[in-house]
Amino acid sequence: MDSLIPITIYRRQNHRVHTYPAGRCGAIGVLMRNGEYHFMWCRGAIKREDVPAGVQPVKLEVEAWSWEADFVSRRNYTTRGRHLVGVRIGSETFIVFYGDAPREA
């Protein structure tokens, strides 16, 4: 996919901080219907208009995000207890950007 948005993801698991730099994202928690998390590979972010039809929407466990190299100086935190809207395409997930930012669910 050539429409990927470079994004750095910050998440916390078992009191350990995980930072996934732009272009090298990693495993991220996907909220399942039973309330548990299943970890899937996150490839980054994609614009809403570029999301293929019929893909599965998911809620992604992300504590903060930022543009490429902006992560050290400026983080955008998600509201505690909320998730970012994403999609599952095959065995990978993507954060969906609505305009210039993702939405919380």
Side-chain angles (χ1 to χ4, degrees), residues 66-81:
S66 71
W67 302 105
E68 263 183 74
D70 215 15
F71 194 70
V72 174
S73 61
R74 184 170 170 231
R75 296 181 186 169
N76 300 293
Y77 287 90
T78 56
T79 307
R80 184 176 216 115

Side-chain angles (χ1 to χ4, degrees), residues 60-94:
L60 302 173
E61 183 184 31
V62 175
E63 189 166 324
W65 63 273
S66 71
W67 302 105
E68 263 183 74
D70 215 15
F71 194 70
V72 174
S73 61
R74 184 170 170 231
R75 296 181 186 169
N76 300 293
Y77 287 90
T78 56
T79 307
R80 184 176 216 115
R82 308 279 314 248
H83 299 81
L84 292 185
V85 174
V87 292
R88 177 182 173 189
I89 301 174
S91 61
E92 300 173 326
T93 61
F94 298 85

Side-chain angles (χ1 to χ4, degrees), residues 18-68:
H18 298 272
T19 303
Y20 300 127
R24 296 184 307 180
C25 291
I28 193 167
V30 177
L31 182 63
M32 306 304 283
R33 290 186 180 175
N34 63 5
E36 295 181 9
Y37 289 94
H38 176 72
F39 287 87
M40 296 182 73
W41 192 259
C42 181
R43 290 259 331 261
I46 188 171
K47 293 180 183 178
R48 172 63 186 109
E49 358 4 294
D50 297 331
V51 174
V55 296
Q56 178 184 5
V58 293
K59 293 181 179 180
L60 302 173
E61 183 184 31
V62 175
E63 189 166 324
W65 63 273
S66 71
W67 302 105
E68 263 183 74

